[in-house]
Amino acid sequence: MKKTIAMAALAVAVSFGSVSCKKKVSDADLQTQATTVVTSNPGASVEVKDGVAHLSGTFESQEAKDAMIKQLKAINGIKDVHDMATVAPANATPTPVETQSAVDPTVQQKVQDAVKDIPGVKVEVINGELTLTGNISSSDARKVKESVDALKVGKVNYNYTVK
């Protein structure tokens, strides 16, 4: 009888020992597995704590995010997935912008007419601004300035060389 009780006690001890020795997966191992899964989406990241995966970042679509959550839940040892990730708004195609000269063609023509009798002066639009270029004498430079200022056309760049 003593042998039977001793054997039963030994069997119970062995069974408790085998249950308590069941290997638990560490958070570090789970983190490695979860990170491997999440690397397929460069905008996302995951952190594992106490067997729970915390998913964050941005996904291109809800379907991609749901698929990632499913993959994380499939990892043996992950108890739950806390979803803190967002879905990026769909990129609307930008409407093309029509570029127009910042200088009204009629203003440019008025300035050209005002300086047409002065040799060596060119009227151009450079970087969206009305610009006068060329080589002129000092007396002609004065005439150009007075003629253009009288038109009251706004900002004009005087980039000519005075001889």
Side-chain angles (χ1 to χ4, degrees), residues 6 16 29 46 50 61 65 85 91 98 106 113 134-135 147 152:
F16 279 126
D29 291 338
V46 66
D50 298 327
S61 67
K65 184 170 102 167
N91 290 338
E98 291 184 28
T106 58
D113 290 343
N135 295 314
S147 298
K152 297 183 181 179

Side-chain angles (χ1 to χ4, degrees), residues 29-110:
D29 291 338
L30 292 173
Q31 178 70 48
T32 302
Q33 292 176 44
T35 301
T36 302
V37 168
V38 173
T39 56
S40 65
N41 184 351
S45 63
V46 66
E47 183 179 334
V48 177
K49 185 172 184 182
D50 298 327
V52 177
H54 299 269
L55 180 64
S56 61
T58 305
F59 288 84
E60 291 182 12
S61 67
Q62 184 65 42
E63 292 79 20
K65 184 170 102 167
D66 292 344
M68 183 67 62
I69 291 170
K70 185 176 179 180
Q71 289 176 351
L72 289 171
K73 285 182 177 180
I75 295 173
N76 189 21
I78 295 288
K79 299 173 191 171
D80 194 15
V81 177
H82 287 198
D83 177 14
M84 299 179 292
T86 59
V87 176
N91 290 338
T93 54
T95 54
V97 177
E98 291 184 28
T99 56
Q100 297 177 348
S101 174
V103 179
D104 185 5
T106 58
V107 171
Q108 186 176 355
Q109 187 60 48
K110 284 181 184 179

Side-chain angles (χ1 to χ4, degrees), residues 82-151:
H82 287 198
D83 177 14
M84 299 179 292
T86 59
V87 176
N91 290 338
T93 54
T95 54
V97 177
E98 291 184 28
T99 56
Q100 297 177 348
S101 174
V103 179
D104 185 5
T106 58
V107 171
Q108 186 176 355
Q109 187 60 48
K110 284 181 184 179
V111 174
Q112 285 176 336
D113 290 343
V115 298
K116 69 180 178 185
D117 296 331
I118 302 171
V121 177
K122 294 179 194 170
V123 179
E124 302 174 306
V125 177
I126 300 175
N127 294 330
E129 295 180 343
L130 193 59
T131 305
L132 302 178
T133 59
N135 295 314
I136 60 174
S137 67
S138 60
S139 62
D140 286 342
R142 191 174 317 114
K143 290 177 190 175
V144 168
K145 180 108 171 89
E146 289 172 358
S147 298
V148 173
D149 286 348
L151 295 173

